[in-house]
Amino acid sequence: MDEESLKVSFIHNNGGEVFAGDLPPIDGWRGLLQASWKESKKLWYLAGPAIFTSLCQYSLAAITQTFVGHVGDIELAAFSIANSVISGLSYGIMLGMGSALETLCGQAFGAKQLRMLGVYMQRSMVILLVTACLMSTIYVWSAQILKLIGEEEEIAEEAGKLAVWMLPQLFATAMVFPLAKFLQAQSKVLVMAVIAGGALVLHVLFSWLLIFKWGCGLWGAAVMLDISWWIVVLAQMAYILSGTCKEAWGGFTWAAFRNLGAFVRLSFASGVMLCLECWYFSLLVLLSGYIKNAKVAIDAISICMNLIGWEMMISLGFNVAISVRVSNELGAGHPRAAKFAVVTVLTTMLIIGFILMAVIFITRNEFAVAFTSSEEVMKVVSNLATLLAFTMLLNSVQPIFGGVAVGAGWQALVAYINLASYYIFGVPLGCLLGYYFDMGVKGIWIGMICGTTLQTIVLCFITFRTKWNREASQAIQNIKEWVGRA
C-alpha cells in the first residue's frame, strides 16, 4: 500500500478531512460532565475486563506465593526471588516488547487498516519467541547468577531449581502478550476476562491439591503455574482461529517475516521502556537481600510487593484502556478526543489511588496475616505500611503516563526518562539511604519512591505540553511506515 492510497483511505474513513469527527468544543460544566461521562464509559468498557484479566493473571503467581508462604520461610524467599527477579526479568521484557503491538494495532485499527493487525501479531510472536529462546539460558543458570550477585546460597539454590521448572512459562508469555494486544486493539476484552477467570479457578484448585494434598512442594507450584499460563495462551488462540476476528485475522502468512527491521526497533524501544519499569521494584527485593536478617526483609518486602502488584493490575487495566483510546483516536485523526481521554483517566485513577491508600492505613496491622504466620515478618510489614500506602497512591497514576506513551509511540523517549529517573537517581539514592545511613529496607524504598516521583513529574509535564494535532498527523506517517509490503 503506497502513501497516497493510505492517505485516501484514512481521509475517507474520517469524514473527508483528517480531523473530522473529533471531540467538539465543551460548553460549560454540564457539557464537561456529559463529555466526561461518555469518555468514562468508553474507558471502563475497556478497563473493567482488562483489570479483571490482569488481576486473574497476576493472581496465578500471587496465590501460588501465598500457598508457598505457608510451607516455609526458605520456600517463600526462594519463590519470591524466582518470581520477582528471574520471572520478573522475562515478564518485563516480554510485556515491553509486546507493547509495541499496542501502538501498531491501535493506530491501524483507528485508521481502519484491520488486515494488518493479524500480520503485526505474527511479527511480534516471531520476535518474542526468538527472545524467549535467548533468555532461557538465564533460567538454566539462575542459581549461579544469584550466587554471583551475593544472594544467600540456600535461597539461591532453591530459586534456581524453581526457575528451571518455570521455563515453560517464559514461552507462554512470548505468546500471550501478542495475542492479548491483538484482541485489545479491537476492544475484544470480555473474552479475555472469561478465559483468565477460568484459568484462575483451575489454578487455585489444582495448586491447592499439588502443594498441600499431594505434597509436591515448590516444583508442584511451578508446574501448575506453567500449565495455567498455557491454558490462557491456547484458549485465546482458539478464539482467534474460530473466525470471530475474521476482518483482522487473515491466517498465517509469510508477511510476518517481512519488514522486521522497523518492528524490531519499536519492539526494542518498548522493551527497554517497560523493562526499566518492571525491574525497578524487583530491585527492591534483590537489594533487600544484602541487609541484616535478609530472609525476614525479603519476606516482608515480597508481601508488600505482592499488594503493590495487585494494585498495579488495576493501573495496568487503565494503562491498556488509555493506550487503546489514545492510539485509536490518533489513528482516526481525533487529537482533542485523545487529550480528553488522558485527563479523564488520570482523574479516575487519582480517586482510586486515594481509596487504596486509606485501606492500607486502616489495615496496616492485619493484612500480612494472609501471607505469613511469622510474627517477626508481620511486624516488619506493619512498619513499612506508610511507605506502602504512599506507593499505592503514586502507582495509581504513574502507569497511566506509560499507557499514553505507548498509544502515541513515545517509547524511545520514555526509555531515556526511566533510565535517568530510576537508575541514575532513584536506585543510588536508595542504596545511600539504606546502606550508608543504615536505614535498611525503608531507606532503599524511600530512594526508589523518589525516583518514581521524578519520572511521574517529567512524564506529566511532557503529556500536557504535547501538541496533539501534530501527534494525530504523525500517526498517518507511522501507519505508512509500519504497514510495509504485506
Side-chain angles (χ1 to χ4, degrees):
M1 179 176 292
D2 58 24
E3 180 178 6
E4 188 59 33
S5 61
L6 178 63
K7 187 175 181 181
V8 169
S9 173
F10 186 92
I11 292 173
H12 172 73
N13 288 322
N14 289 283
E17 59 182 291
V18 174
F19 299 142
D22 199 1
L23 182 74
I26 296 173
D27 185 21
W29 283 103
R30 177 170 294 187
L32 177 61
L33 289 173
Q34 290 175 343
S36 299
W37 175 248
K38 186 177 180 180
E39 181 59 38
S40 292
K41 287 194 293 184
K42 293 178 183 178
L43 287 167
W44 276 103
Y45 175 79
L46 292 167
I51 291 169
F52 181 78
T53 301
S54 298
L55 284 170
C56 288
Q57 291 180 351
Y58 178 78
S59 298
L60 296 177
I63 288 173
T64 301
Q65 180 170 320
T66 302
F67 286 162
V68 170
H70 292 281
V71 175
D73 289 347
I74 289 292
E75 287 79 3
L76 176 58
F79 186 86
S80 299
I81 291 291
N83 188 55
S84 299
V85 179
I86 306 301
S87 287
L89 174 74
S90 64
Y91 187 91
I93 291 174
M94 296 302 171
L95 175 62
M97 296 184 72
S99 72
L101 217 55
E102 289 187 47
T103 307
L104 300 173
C105 286
Q107 293 188 1
F109 185 81
K112 311 301 182 189
Q113 305 298 324
L114 299 183
R115 186 61 71 191
M116 289 308 301
L117 271 64
V119 178
Y120 290 153
M121 180 182 71
Q122 292 173 70
R123 286 180 186 169
S124 185
M125 282 183 178
V126 170
I127 294 169
L128 265 63
L129 285 171
V130 170
T131 304
C133 290
L134 296 174
M135 290 199 61
S136 61
T137 55
I138 296 175
Y139 279 65
V140 174
W141 296 99
S142 57
Q144 289 78 5
I145 293 170
L146 290 170
K147 290 177 188 176
L148 186 65
I149 60 178
E151 287 299 324
E152 287 187 12
E153 185 169 349
E154 188 178 7
I155 296 175
E157 285 288 345
E158 288 296 318
K161 293 175 185 176
L162 188 62
V164 173
W165 281 102
M166 294 169 73
L167 261 173
Q169 184 184 334
L170 170 64
F171 289 90
T173 53
M175 296 284 289
V176 78
F177 288 124
L179 292 168
K181 305 309 177 187
F182 172 83
L183 293 171
Q184 287 166 0
Q186 304 168 72
S187 299
K188 294 183 181 294
V189 287
L190 289 175
V191 66
M192 295 174 60
V194 172
I195 291 170
L200 178 61
V201 171
L202 293 174
H203 179 76
V204 172
L205 174 61
F206 285 100
S207 291
W208 178 75
L209 288 172
L210 281 169
I211 296 170
F212 295 123
K213 289 298 181 182
W214 299 339
C216 295
L218 276 179
W219 75 266
V223 167
M224 195 57 227
L225 204 53
D226 296 335
I227 292 171
S228 299
W229 273 102
W230 274 102
I231 288 173
V232 174
V233 171
L234 295 175
Q236 288 184 356
M237 180 64 79
Y239 176 80
I240 293 170
L241 297 179
S242 68
T244 52
C245 304
K246 55 188 177 183
E247 289 187 350
W249 174 254
F252 295 101
T253 172
W254 287 108
F257 296 91
R258 300 173 192 159
N259 197 36
L260 284 175
F263 208 103
V264 169
R265 288 193 296 273
L266 184 62
S267 295
F268 181 76
S270 300
V272 171
M273 174 191 132
L274 267 265
C275 285
L276 291 174
E277 290 193 14
C278 290
W279 297 343
Y280 189 49
F281 275 98
S282 294
L283 258 180
L284 182 54
V285 178
L286 192 62
L287 292 172
S288 300
Y290 300 112
I291 65 174
K292 298 174 184 177
N293 202 357
K295 276 193 291 187
V296 172
I298 291 175
D299 288 351
I301 285 295
S302 68
I303 289 170
C304 293
M305 292 302 103
N306 203 324
L307 291 173
I308 289 172
W310 285 89
E311 187 228 12
M312 285 296 288
M313 294 307 103
I314 300 175
S315 300
L316 186 59
F318 279 96
N319 172 290
V320 168
I322 194 58
S323 177
V324 172
R325 291 289 299 124
V326 168
S327 60
N328 283 178
E329 296 295 356
L330 291 180
H334 300 158
R336 282 172 53 83
K339 183 177 181 179
F340 190 73
V342 173
V343 175
T344 304
V345 76
L346 282 173
T347 304
T348 302
M349 285 308 300
L350 270 174
I351 295 171
I352 293 173
F354 277 112
I355 292 172
L356 293 175
M357 187 180 187
V359 169
I360 293 298
F361 276 125
I362 292 169
T363 63
R364 60 185 302 158
N365 296 318
E366 288 84 26
F367 65 79
V369 176
F371 300 92
T372 182
S373 53
S374 169
E375 292 288 341
E376 190 176 7
V377 173
M378 284 190 275
K379 184 178 179 180
V380 175
V381 171
S382 180
N383 290 334
L384 294 172
T386 300
L387 288 176
L388 176 60
F390 184 76
T391 304
M392 288 281 198
L393 176 62
L394 188 61
N395 283 356
S396 66
V397 296
Q398 183 270 339
I400 301 305
F401 292 111
V404 175
V406 169
W410 303 338
Q411 287 93 328
L413 172 63
V414 179
Y416 287 115
I417 295 170
N418 288 350
L419 179 64
S421 301
Y422 292 159
Y423 297 92
I424 296 177
F425 176 68
V427 172
L429 178 60
C431 291
L432 183 68
L433 295 174
Y435 301 135
Y436 184 79
F437 289 101
D438 202 26
M439 293 177 65
V441 175
K442 278 190 175 181
I444 297 170
W445 200 341
I446 289 170
M448 298 181 80
I449 286 176
C450 290
T452 306
T453 303
L454 176 62
Q455 184 251 23
T456 304
I457 291 170
V458 173
L459 287 183
C460 181
F461 177 79
I462 291 173
T463 298
F464 287 101
R465 293 279 295 177
T466 294
K467 306 292 185 183
W468 290 97
N469 285 7
R470 184 180 61 192
E471 293 296 327
S473 299
Q474 182 63 40
I476 304 175
Q477 297 302 320
N478 290 345
I479 294 166
K480 170 189 173 289
E481 179 184 351
W482 292 324
V483 162
R485 296 189 178 187

